[in-house]
Amino acid sequence: MHVTTNAEKLIEKTKLNKFHWMLLFWGALLMLFDGFDLTIYGAVVPTLMDEWGISAVQAGRYGSYALFGMMFGALIFGTLADKLGRKKIILICVAIFSLFMLLAGLAPSPEIFGLFRFITGLGLGGMMPNVIGLISEYSPEGMRSRMIATIMAGYSIGGVIAAFLSMLLISNFGWESVFFFGAIPLLFLPFLAKVLPDSVGSLVNKNDQKGIQKILVKANPTYTPSENETFVLNKPKETSSPVKNLFTEKRGLLTVMIWLTYFMSLLMIYGLNTWLPKFMTEAGFPLGSSLSFLLALNVGATIGAILMGWLADRWGVGRALILFFLLATVSITSLGFATNMILLYVMLAIAGAATVGTQNLTHSYTSQFYPITMRSTALGWALAVGRIGGILGPTIGGILLASNLTLQLNFFIFAIPGVIAAFAVFLANQQGRKVITDEPKLEKVAT
């Protein structure tokens, strides 16, 4: 007897089991190194400026090279994954960023360092949308925000580790030592190749029935494979270009607003993480103390990532995003005015939660509006456009530093994007409801 099974529905209707915990473990571990990279340049930049004799504007430019790489990596590998499968792309990207993290620590000049940072960015930029896409695809119903928030807590923990290792290693072993830590994922490759599942969406497109059955048995223990079984998804396969599909079926305004949200969010995050230690040393704090501010920012981001995933599944992810972007604006502005050290650390932790934590939510927010067959493309392009904001963050920070503005004005300028992002989410919510309402529902397929 011939059986037709909706693979996507079967995955959604399962409960959290050891398959999901394995995905969460590897997802969080890979995100840890993405977060490590986010923070590490800000931690070493005061030392690099002294050692290589580079100006603030040059340092901002070198800080942006990795982000250029991330932008191109997200575009290229995000789109390729919907065709080749996420697993293959994740393995390629992990190999690229780990190797070039190691080489960046061995760079003999700022120019070579910048090149290696660009290639590191290619790997990191391609990895993130695919890991998020994979977790999103295998999330049980009603748990997507929490699962993505859980792996993104790894991203925030990576920032904490980068700040902590910098405080321990830079003064004793030089700035190069912290980059060597970033090469550790090379050791993960054999394990990732063995345990990571491929995307069910790409396996359905290839008609790989046996491959799908193997994954579904692990993802949903109640599932029993049948001999003559065909698999379908909730929404039929899109036939035209996946990038073009981001603007069809009333998705145009939604896509643009999501891109604007990512742009503003990453501008705040990369601007703060790159320049916070330098802003604080310029304001008269010693380097060790300035690195501890970076630590507070990322500890806040870690707690925020977990808390916000939990709140988003209860309030709705759109409402949570608007609130936290506005909180980011208030907390970042207040950094320029805090004179009490305890208050300063608290506001930094809140700023970390409301920037990095909020950015983590945007991934599950974006995933809900696009069908499974174009989710990596949607996330890849949103991250790529967002990286332009990320590129501007370090550059703007360098210009602000060179302009000798007050600390208050510097932080106020980095806070403005929070208001713009909140407004963009508000508009995306309005349009997103129309898109989801008009989405053709696939009927349950009878056997």
Side-chain angles (χ1 to χ4, degrees):
M1 186 177 71
H2 185 266
V3 177
T4 304
T5 304
N6 185 321
E8 211 175 331
K9 278 270 185 284
L10 206 62
I11 289 164
E12 285 170 358
K13 296 300 176 193
T14 189
K15 288 189 165 64
L16 209 63
N17 57 54
K18 66 178 183 182
F19 171 80
H20 299 103
W21 287 112
M22 176 276 296
L23 272 182
L24 287 172
F25 170 76
W26 286 108
L29 197 57
L30 290 177
M31 286 301 159
L32 185 149
F33 285 91
D34 201 327
F36 180 85
D37 185 84
L38 158 73
T39 309
I40 205 62
Y41 185 71
V44 302
V45 81
T47 312
L48 286 182
M49 287 174 72
D50 289 344
E51 196 169 306
W52 278 336
I54 53 178
S55 69
V57 174
Q58 284 174 308
R61 195 170 68 236
Y62 290 128
S64 295
Y65 284 174
L67 295 155
F68 271 110
M70 285 179 184
M71 179 179 73
F72 290 116
L75 280 177
I76 297 160
F77 292 116
T79 308
L80 270 179
D82 283 326
K83 299 193 184 302
L84 301 178
R86 293 188 182 116
K87 178 177 178 175
K88 201 177 286 181
I89 297 296
I90 289 168
L91 294 173
I92 291 167
C93 290
V94 170
I96 292 170
F97 84 72
S98 309
L99 179 62
F100 282 90
M101 264 291 224
L102 176 70
L103 292 174
L106 300 169
S109 68
E111 293 75 22
I112 302 291
F113 176 79
L115 174 66
F116 289 162
R117 292 291 293 146
F118 172 79
I119 302 171
T120 302
L122 283 175
L124 288 167
M127 181 190 74
M128 185 188 263
N130 287 298
V131 170
I132 293 165
L134 204 62
I135 297 291
S136 173
E137 186 171 340
Y138 287 109
S139 296
E141 203 166 33
M143 292 201 66
R144 184 181 290 151
S145 288
R146 265 171 288 181
M147 284 189 70
I148 292 176
T150 302
I151 65 158
M152 295 311 291
Y155 182 80
S156 309
I157 291 164
V160 172
I161 290 171
F164 187 66
L165 280 183
S166 300
M167 290 164 74
L168 287 178
L169 298 179
I170 292 175
S171 56
N172 296 315
F173 303 103
W175 64 267
E176 298 88 347
S177 56
V178 288
F179 282 92
F180 300 150
F181 178 85
I184 290 174
L186 283 172
L187 306 174
F188 303 161
L189 288 170
F191 302 100
L192 291 169
K194 190 177 177 188
V195 302
L196 277 193
D198 212 334
S199 158
V200 161
S202 64
L203 293 176
V204 168
N205 291 344
K206 291 178 198 164
N207 294 316
D208 182 355
Q209 318 301 358
K210 289 274 177 272
I212 298 165
Q213 287 176 335
K214 223 159 118 181
I215 291 169
L216 291 181
V217 167
K218 292 177 187 170
N220 189 335
T222 63
Y223 162 74
T224 309
S226 303
E227 194 59 47
N228 297 310
E229 196 168 15
T230 307
F231 294 94
V232 293
L233 303 170
N234 284 345
K235 196 165 187 292
K237 185 185 172 187
E238 305 272 357
T239 49
S240 61
S241 148
V243 178
K244 186 182 166 192
N245 292 331
L246 299 178
F247 296 91
T248 58
E249 297 181 18
K250 297 185 181 173
R251 289 192 201 105
L253 177 64
L254 170 72
T255 296
V256 171
M257 287 303 108
I258 284 173
W259 287 3
L260 183 61
T261 304
Y262 272 77
F263 181 97
M264 293 300 164
S265 174
L266 288 170
L267 190 154
M268 286 191 291
I269 290 168
Y270 281 93
L272 274 179
N273 271 283
T274 301
W275 287 111
L276 182 66
K278 193 64 183 170
F279 278 167
M280 291 312 198
T281 53
E282 290 292 307
F285 294 96
L287 179 60
S289 169
S290 298
L291 287 173
S292 71
F293 294 145
L294 203 55
L295 187 64
L297 187 78
N298 285 284
V299 167
T302 308
I303 297 162
I306 297 163
L307 177 69
M308 286 176 196
W310 183 80
L311 286 174
D313 280 332
R314 278 158 180 73
W315 294 356
V317 67
R319 200 179 300 167
L321 275 176
I322 292 169
L323 176 69
F324 289 121
F325 274 128
L326 293 175
L327 187 61
T329 303
V330 173
S331 56
I332 293 169
T333 303
S334 71
L335 293 178
F337 297 92
T339 48
N340 179 292
M341 283 297 279
I342 294 169
L343 182 64
L344 185 57
Y345 278 114
V346 169
M347 294 319 293
L348 278 164
I350 294 170
T355 52
V356 179
T358 307
Q359 169 60 28
N360 296 345
L361 271 189
T362 57
H363 307 312
S364 60
Y365 180 68
T366 301
S367 295
Q368 71 186 327
F369 295 120
Y370 299 93
I372 198 170
T373 48
M374 51 192 280
R375 208 166 277 157
S376 278
T377 302
L379 283 164
W381 276 76
L383 275 163
V385 173
R387 298 295 181 198
I388 301 170
I391 289 161
L392 283 176
T395 308
I396 289 169
I399 293 165
L400 291 176
L401 207 62
S403 305
N404 295 318
L405 300 175
T406 63
L407 193 65
Q408 288 86 349
L409 197 51
N410 285 339
F411 282 123
F412 176 69
I413 290 165
F414 272 123
I416 293 167
V419 179
I420 301 169
F423 184 63
V425 173
F426 173 76
L427 291 179
N429 277 350
Q430 309 303 308
Q431 191 61 22
R433 282 196 201 103
K434 293 178 194 169
V435 170
I436 289 172
T437 307
D438 294 348
E439 197 91 302
K441 301 283 186 291
L442 198 71
E443 290 177 41
K444 283 186 179 173
V445 185
T447 57

